[in-house]
Amino acid sequence: MKQEYNKRKPVEKGGKRIGKSLPPKPAGFGKGKPGQPKNESGGKRFSETEKKKVYRKPKPEGVKNIPKKSNPNGEMRLNRFIANAGVCSRREADTYISAGMVSVNGNIVTELGVKVLPTDEVRFDGTKLNAEKKVYLLLNKPKDFVTTTDDPHADKIVMDLIKDACSERIYPIGRLDRNTTGLLLFTNDGDLSKRLTHPSHTMKKVYQVSLDKPVTMEHLQQIADGIELEDGPIAADAVSYISHETKDEIGIEIHSGRNRIVRRIFEHFGYRVKKLDRVLYAGLTKKNLPRGKYRFLTEKEIQFLKMQ
């Protein structure tokens, strides 16, 4: 996706600016919010309380909320399509449409109010947009759930835990074994998913490992230095005891996405993994997220993931 755009400035003539000025283009889709109104004294922004007083209108007595009729074809206004894609607000989208920066199925559209279908190809300044709103969800996976979108042979799949979370079709990034618990990220952002799962991506993952017997310091040192497994060498980014009293609880940081890699590391030395819990994933933690529950990422967390 393009990160830079051609500058469009109004023409200057005789020292005066003429022509229609466009709002600044978004520096990456999804960033930036429409400007907020200013008051009449000093140009200061309204506080949250003041905005509520200005914009919230009381409902007339006896008037009830009328549910919006759903469109079976998924048809929507073009400015909403652009806003859902995370480019800008609907109001800003109208400005871009009028300026001829939006095309539908190869044709430039300048008329406001045009409706499009999810199957239409909409481009903003040459970049194809996705009609579906981007969703980012974090699940604290419990044991005995299979990380898959569909498996007729599995009694429990992770999709069962998030089926009522949103209307968008989201899928897990990477996977956790049936018996492994902890953080699992879901999204419909294909670009982010490819980036986080690419072998060259050094995404930080931290696991808490419970073993059947204490681990020797010698073995911890070998895990840190690197060992040879059947599918190639592997080394932990960091490894240490969680408790120096029992020494059978280990914390290990690793960025490899190879299948069952943490379990195989300890099995290489003859240890049996009793419990395996992913407590940190790409900077995201399990704080205030009980087992089997999920939450949506904050804007700050989303931007952090995209910057990695």
Side-chain angles (χ1 to χ4, degrees):
M1 189 173 288
K2 297 182 180 179
Q3 297 296 324
E4 297 181 359
Y5 299 85
N6 297 326
K7 295 182 178 179
R8 294 172 181 258
K9 296 181 178 180
V11 180
E12 296 187 4
K13 185 175 181 181
K16 296 183 178 180
R17 297 166 67 87
I18 63 175
K20 186 176 181 180
S21 297
L22 299 178
K25 293 182 182 179
F29 296 158
K31 295 181 180 180
K33 296 182 179 179
Q36 297 183 0
K38 298 180 179 180
N39 62 20
E40 297 179 357
S41 59
K44 295 182 180 178
R45 297 179 185 275
F46 288 128
S47 66
E48 291 298 324
T49 304
E50 289 172 330
K51 283 194 290 185
K52 290 179 181 179
K53 291 181 179 179
V54 172
Y55 294 109
R56 180 173 294 175
K57 295 181 179 180
K59 292 182 181 179
E61 292 185 5
V63 176
K64 298 181 179 179
N65 291 329
I66 301 175
K68 294 182 179 179
K69 294 182 179 180
S70 59
N71 191 325
N73 297 325
E75 189 180 53
M76 69 180 74
R77 289 173 64 98
L78 181 56
N79 63 353
R80 181 185 172 191
F81 187 107
I82 297 171
N84 284 354
V87 177
C88 57
S89 68
R90 294 191 191 185
R91 181 176 298 180
E92 289 174 329
D94 285 338
T95 304
Y96 292 129
I97 293 170
S98 300
M101 296 176 62
V102 179
S103 66
V104 178
N105 298 328
N107 300 314
I108 298 295
V109 175
T110 57
E111 180 183 353
L112 301 182
V114 170
K115 293 187 176 182
V116 295
L117 294 170
T119 53
D120 290 330
E121 182 182 276
V122 178
R123 291 182 177 271
F124 171 71
D125 203 22
T127 300
K128 185 178 178 180
L129 304 182
N130 187 343
E132 196 172 56
K133 180 182 177 182
K134 295 292 190 297
V135 177
Y136 307 86
L137 180 146
L138 188 66
L139 169 73
N140 188 350
K141 175 188 171 300
K143 190 178 178 180
D144 295 329
F145 280 81
V146 178
T147 305
T148 181
T149 55
D150 185 26
D151 188 345
H153 303 293
D155 295 331
K156 301 176 182 178
I157 63 174
V158 292
M159 302 307 295
D160 296 335
L161 299 170
I162 63 165
K163 60 183 179 181
D164 299 324
C166 59
S167 58
E168 291 80 8
R169 185 177 183 275
I170 57 178
Y171 48 88
I173 296 181
R175 60 185 299 115
L176 289 177
D177 297 336
R178 179 194 294 268
N179 293 325
T180 302
T181 60
L183 297 178
L184 189 61
L185 182 64
F186 294 76
T187 186
N188 55 354
D189 188 335
D191 292 335
L192 178 65
S193 179
K194 289 178 183 178
R195 194 157 62 247
L196 292 181
T197 55
H198 195 275
S200 64
H201 185 75
T202 57
M203 181 180 56
K204 183 177 181 180
K205 293 175 283 189
V206 176
Y207 295 84
Q208 180 174 337
V209 192
S210 299
L211 300 160
D212 61 337
K213 56 186 176 182
V215 180
T216 66
M217 179 60 74
E218 179 185 358
H219 287 162
L220 287 187
Q221 188 61 54
Q222 290 182 50
I223 292 172
D225 294 338
I227 60 175
E228 188 74 27
L229 298 179
E230 62 273 15
D231 56 351
I234 186 68
D237 299 320
V239 61
S240 65
Y241 297 116
I242 293 178
S243 171
H244 285 276
E245 295 180 0
T246 60
K247 297 187 178 181
D248 57 358
E249 294 283 335
I250 305 297
I252 181 170
E253 176 187 330
I254 199 164
H255 64 266
S256 173
R258 286 150 62 178
N259 187 37
R260 300 183 69 253
I261 189 62
V262 176
R263 292 182 183 273
R264 290 193 289 129
I265 287 174
F266 288 98
E267 289 170 358
H268 175 79
F269 295 101
Y271 300 98
R272 182 175 65 86
V273 176
K274 296 166 58 178
K275 294 181 182 179
L276 183 60
D277 187 34
R278 185 154 72 184
V279 298
L280 186 144
Y281 180 84
L284 305 171
T285 70
K286 298 196 305 176
K287 184 178 180 181
N288 299 325
L289 187 61
R291 188 86 72 210
K293 302 298 182 180
Y294 63 82
R295 68 173 178 84
F296 294 96
L297 299 192
T298 65
E299 284 297 324
K300 185 177 180 180
E301 289 172 327
I302 294 170
Q303 294 306 321
F304 176 78
L305 284 179
K306 292 183 177 182
M307 289 172 60
Q308 293 195 64

